[in-house]
Amino acid sequence: MSESELPRAAGLAPHEQHGYAANKEAYLRRLKRIEGQVRGIARMVDEDKYCIDILTQVAAVTKALHAVSLGLVEEHIGHCVVGAAAEPDPGLRADAIDFKVKEATEAIGRLLR
């Protein structure tokens, strides 16, 4: 399969919305909240706060980012992988599904490192 065929075989139409599009505002709100938490951690370090208190906040940010990540993985599987399975060309369908599943698997692998 050529590189130019890959987006179509991967279940991507030009200008197709991503799976998270319906929840984009909620993701942005969560990420802005996380951004504020990270700024708070930097302020704690700057103010020489107790290390355990800082670590507690780091753990909270990590958990919040994991929640966002899991939501995005779920959106990818529910939208992108399912969309690839709906590929009308039977010759491209299996490749599209394999591509999207591999993307998800690699993303999950990066999250687990």
Side-chain angles (χ1 to χ4, degrees):
M1 175 180 329
S2 76
E3 206 170 305
S4 63
E5 292 174 306
L6 192 56
R8 180 160 182 255
L12 298 175
H15 306 291
E16 178 179 305
Q17 285 191 337
H18 298 291
Y20 62 83
N23 297 314
K24 182 177 178 177
E25 293 305 316
Y27 281 114
L28 288 172
R29 279 192 305 274
R30 290 176 85 179
L31 290 168
K32 286 179 192 289
R33 191 174 321 125
I34 292 167
E35 181 181 16
Q37 287 176 289
V38 171
R39 281 194 305 272
I41 293 169
R43 190 171 42 255
M44 290 175 78
V45 170
D46 186 51
E47 296 172 356
D48 297 317
K49 298 294 182 182
Y50 185 54
C51 52
I52 296 302
D53 293 338
I54 296 169
L55 288 169
T56 299
Q57 293 305 309
V58 169
V61 168
T62 301
K63 184 176 178 183
L65 283 171
H66 281 154
V68 169
S69 299
L70 286 174
L72 289 170
V73 167
E74 184 177 349
E75 301 270 10
H76 177 73
I77 292 169
H79 180 267
C80 301
V81 175
V82 170
E87 166 61 50
D89 182 338
L92 295 177
R93 188 176 305 126
D95 287 339
I97 293 168
D98 288 345
F99 181 82
K100 290 298 180 180
V101 168
K102 183 174 178 168
E103 274 186 330
T105 303
E106 289 172 354
I108 293 166
R110 287 189 299 272
L111 292 171
L112 295 175
R113 285 187 206 135

